[in-house]
Every structure is written in structure tokens, then in C-alpha cells.
């Protein structure tokens, strides 16, 4: 029951406290490890398509496995000192693996700037949480970017980490975070990472395949509970859930678009280059700043449902097995 208790405590610590700036975060060190490993591996493999694919595959194996083993070893050694120390360490990492408060805080900062009619400030705020170019977005574009980020990252930052934490505790949760961090750093289809980042991107697709689909249904249930259009959410999910280069990203974005009766996605600029993308949802009404609060209500509601559901399943399986 230690894992269940650690996940429960970690979830509510994240919900209440988020990620304090003063506290060292595992993802920061994962990012540094990725950068160091990339330099190391690029020097040791040929600068050819095959060589880059092999180097990227080595990165995709080393970082998640290393993160899992280091966390498992640290918790085991802490347990040798005292079981309470192992529990506290596991709780800390469960807390840090989740991003409920962070998503809410950062997106609501965008909403506040939009309501103040501070478009440059809103662009700057949304740039903190999206990968696209934001300098030319209008107010609706800024709001859309924030909504899409909350919807997509409910899966990547909340439901998927919870899924793996409940299965394998902090070691498996941090293994997932390593995969997700790799994808965010090297999983691009550009000249530098087209081959080197391919293994990381594919591994991220695999790791998120089941959680993303669970997340979509959790968001539909949350739409119903939070007063949004759950029926339309299901219809748009059924139609548009694959309107994205990733097999997983549009799962929750399509639910958000349907629940809010708005149009999301479409063409966007990345690093000065226009990327053509299909739209998700229907343009039944203009996107507005208040939609950021609506998607956050859905995200927090879905997060609580996920916590209860995953822990209940774990407890039942522990009793039966």
C-alpha cells in the first residue's frame, strides 16, 4: 500500500503546491542528461542516417532505464535506513511527476493577461507553455494555444504519469517522465533531429498510447460534470481524434474542442516555419479567454477522477492477487 499512499499524497501536494522554484526537479536533471548524452553519442556514431538512428536509439534506451534504476535504487537504499524515509522519497517523486497545479497556474496567467487586454504579455505568458512561435498570435490564437496545451498536457502531465505511478511507483513514473522529456527535446522532424530523435518520438508514442485514450474518456466524463457539452465532445473525438501528426495528441484536444464548441489546431508557426496541420472541432463560436478557465475546470475534474479510478483499480487488483 506504500505506492498507493505515496501517489495519493504526491497528487495533493502537487495540486496544492505545484513545483516550487526553489526545489530541484528531476526533469531539469533529465534535460541536462539528454543534452550531455546527445553530445556524447553524436561523437561516437557516424553522422549518417543509420548512425544517427542508432545514436538516438541508444539515448532512448539509456535515459528511461537509467531513470528507473536510479529511482528504484534510491528508494531501496532509503528503505534500508527507515521505511518512512523510503515513503517520503517516493512521495516526493510522485509529487514532482505530476503537473496539475503547474498547468493551471501557467494557463490562468495567460487568461489574466488576455482579460487585461495585454496582448504582448499574453503572448509572452503562453510562450512559456507552448512550442510554437507566439509573437504574431492574436488574442484568439493565444487562447487557443493555452487551451490546446492544457488539453494535451492533461494526458502527458497528469493522467499518464498517474497511470505509471500507480503501476510501478516513482521509478516507473520517472521512467515515463524521462521518455516524455526526451520527446520534448529531440522528438522533432527537423534537420537536426529527424533521425536522431526518431526512437525517442516512437517510444513516447508507445508510452502514451493507452493513457491518451483513457484521458480522452476521463475528459468526456469531466465535461459532463463541469457543465460542458459532453455529447459533442464524444462526437468530435470520434471524428477528429487522429487529426494530428502524433497518434495521441488529438485524443484529448478533440474532446476539448467538442466540449467547448470551438475550433482548435490548424496551421501554426514553429521556429519561423509554417507547419500545415488539420483543424480539430467546429467553429460554432469564437474562442475567448474564459475558455481557458473552462478547460481548466475539466482538467482538474478529470485529474481527480483519474486519481480515484487508478487507485481503486490498483487496490482491487492487490486484494484479488
Amino acid at each position: 500500500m506504500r505506492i498507493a499512499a505515496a501517489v495519493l499524497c504526491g497528487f495533493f501536494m502537487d495540486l496544492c503546491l505545484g513545483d516550487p522554484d526553489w526545489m530541484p526537479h528531476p526533469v531539469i536533471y533529465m534535460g541536462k542528461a539528454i543534452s550531455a548524452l546527445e553530445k556524447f553519442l553524436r561523437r561516437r556514431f557516424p553522422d549518417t542516417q543509420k548512425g544517427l538512428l542508432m545514436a538516438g536509439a541508444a539515448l532512448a534506451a539509456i535515459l528511461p532505464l537509467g531513470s528507473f534504476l536510479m529511482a528504484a535504487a534510491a528508494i531501496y537504499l532509503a528503505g534500508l535506513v527507515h521505511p518512512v524515509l523510503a515513503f517520503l522519497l517516493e512521495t516526493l517523486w510522485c509529487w514532482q511527476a505530476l503537473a496539475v497545479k503547474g498547468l493551471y497556474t501557467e494557463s490562468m496567467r495567460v487568461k489574466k493577461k488576455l482579460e487585461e487586454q495585454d496582448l504582448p504579455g499574453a503572448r509572452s505568458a503562453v510562450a512559456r507553455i507552448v512550442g510554437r512561435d507566439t509573437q504574431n498570435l492574436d488574442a484568439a490564437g493565444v487562447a487557443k494555444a493555452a487551451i490546446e496545451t492544457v488539453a494535451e498536457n492533461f494526458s502527458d502531465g497528469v493522467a499518464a504519469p498517474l497511470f505509471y505511478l500507480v503501476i510501478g511507483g516513482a521509478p516507473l513514473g520517472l521512467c515515463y517522465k524521462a521518455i516524455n522529456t526526451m520527446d520534448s527535446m529531440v522528438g522533432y522532424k527537423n534537420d537536426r533531429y529527424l533521425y536522431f530523435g526518431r526512437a525517442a518520438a516512437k517510444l513516447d508514442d508507445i508510452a502514451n498510447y493507452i493513457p491518451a485514450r483513457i484521458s480522452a474518456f476521463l475528459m468526456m466524463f469531466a465535461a459532463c460534470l463541469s457543465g460542458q457539452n459532453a455529447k459533442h465532445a464524444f462526437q468530435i473525438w470520434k471524428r477528429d481524434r487522429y487529426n494530428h501528426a502524433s497518434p495521441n495528441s488529438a485524443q484529448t484536444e478533440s474532446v476539448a474542442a467538442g466540449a467547448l464548441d470551438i475550433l482548435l489546431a490548424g496551421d501554426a508557426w514553429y521556429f519561423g516555419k509554417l507547419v500545415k496541420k488539420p483543424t480539430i472541432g467546429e467553429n460554432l463560436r469564437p474562442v475567448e479567454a474564459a475558455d481557458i478557465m473552462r478547460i481548466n475546470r475539466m482538467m482538474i475534474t478529470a485529474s481527480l477522477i483519474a486519481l480515484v479510478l487508478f487507485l481503486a483499480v490498483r487496490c482491487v487488483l492487490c486484494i484479488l492477487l
Side-chain angles (χ1 to χ4, degrees):
M1 296 300 290
R2 185 191 77 194
I3 288 176
V7 171
L8 185 64
C9 292
F11 179 91
F12 283 104
M13 289 174 74
D14 173 65
L15 187 64
C16 296
L17 303 174
D19 293 314
D21 293 336
W22 55 264
M23 186 169 64
H25 200 286
V27 169
I28 294 174
Y29 298 104
M30 289 174 185
K32 291 179 179 180
I34 290 166
S35 297
L37 281 168
E38 180 182 352
K39 293 177 183 177
F40 176 83
L41 292 167
R42 283 183 182 275
R43 288 197 299 265
R44 279 156 180 78
F45 285 86
D47 189 18
T48 61
Q49 178 179 332
K50 184 178 179 181
L52 291 171
L53 286 170
M54 292 175 62
L59 173 66
I62 293 169
L63 190 77
L65 183 60
S67 298
F68 178 88
L69 293 175
M70 289 177 66
I75 292 170
Y76 173 77
L77 292 173
L80 295 180
V81 176
H82 199 283
V84 172
L85 186 59
F87 172 75
L88 292 175
L89 184 57
E90 186 130 37
T91 298
L92 171 66
W93 282 335
C94 288
W95 169 17
Q96 293 182 314
L98 299 168
V100 180
K101 181 68 177 293
L103 269 178
Y104 177 84
T105 301
E106 293 293 338
S107 59
M108 291 301 287
R109 184 177 288 119
V110 178
K111 175 180 178 290
K112 183 174 184 292
K113 292 295 183 181
L114 288 173
E115 290 177 338
E116 293 172 350
Q117 298 186 344
D118 179 5
L119 184 55
R123 288 169 175 163
S124 178
V126 83
R128 291 165 55 94
I129 55 175
V130 300
R132 73 193 66 178
D133 298 344
T134 63
Q135 63 269 24
N136 295 317
L137 292 178
D138 60 12
V142 170
K144 279 177 56 177
I147 293 162
E148 290 166 9
T149 294
V150 173
E152 181 180 351
N153 283 284
F154 164 65
S155 179
D156 293 354
V158 183
L162 265 178
F163 180 80
Y164 288 108
L165 287 169
V166 168
I167 292 172
L172 194 58
L174 291 183
C175 176
Y176 169 77
K177 294 300 288 185
I179 294 169
N180 196 238
T181 304
M182 275 194 309
D183 180 61
S184 68
M185 290 184 65
V186 305
Y188 294 101
K189 292 182 179 180
N190 55 24
D191 292 342
R192 180 173 179 82
Y193 292 119
L194 180 61
Y195 300 116
F196 183 83
R198 185 171 297 178
K202 292 298 182 183
L203 185 59
D204 185 75
D205 287 345
I206 293 168
N208 281 296
Y209 190 86
I210 292 174
R213 283 145 186 82
I214 295 173
S215 297
F217 284 95
L218 291 170
M219 287 280 279
M220 288 179 213
F221 192 18
C224 182
L225 294 178
S226 60
Q228 304 307 318
N229 195 340
K231 181 180 179 181
H232 197 219
F234 176 75
Q235 291 170 343
I236 296 300
W237 169 80
K238 189 175 180 181
R239 190 191 74 186
D240 294 349
R241 66 189 186 275
Y242 291 116
N243 284 10
H244 200 285
S246 162
N248 303 316
S249 294
Q251 297 290 325
T252 46
E253 283 188 40
S254 58
V255 174
L260 300 175
D261 295 326
I262 59 176
L263 188 69
L264 295 177
D267 300 347
W269 291 84
Y270 293 86
F271 306 107
K273 180 180 179 182
L274 179 64
V275 177
K276 307 291 286 185
K277 299 196 296 184
T279 57
I280 297 171
E282 295 174 344
N283 192 20
L284 300 182
R285 64 173 183 82
V287 179
E288 58 186 10
D291 289 320
I292 299 174
M293 173 59 83
R294 295 182 183 111
I295 191 62
N296 271 311
R297 287 198 195 103
M298 286 175 56
M299 183 270 293
I300 293 173
T301 303
S303 300
L304 291 167
I305 297 168
L307 177 70
V308 173
L309 176 64
F310 293 165
L311 287 179
V313 171
R314 179 182 174 87
C315 290
V316 169
L317 290 177
C318 287
I319 291 169
L320 294 177
L321 300 177

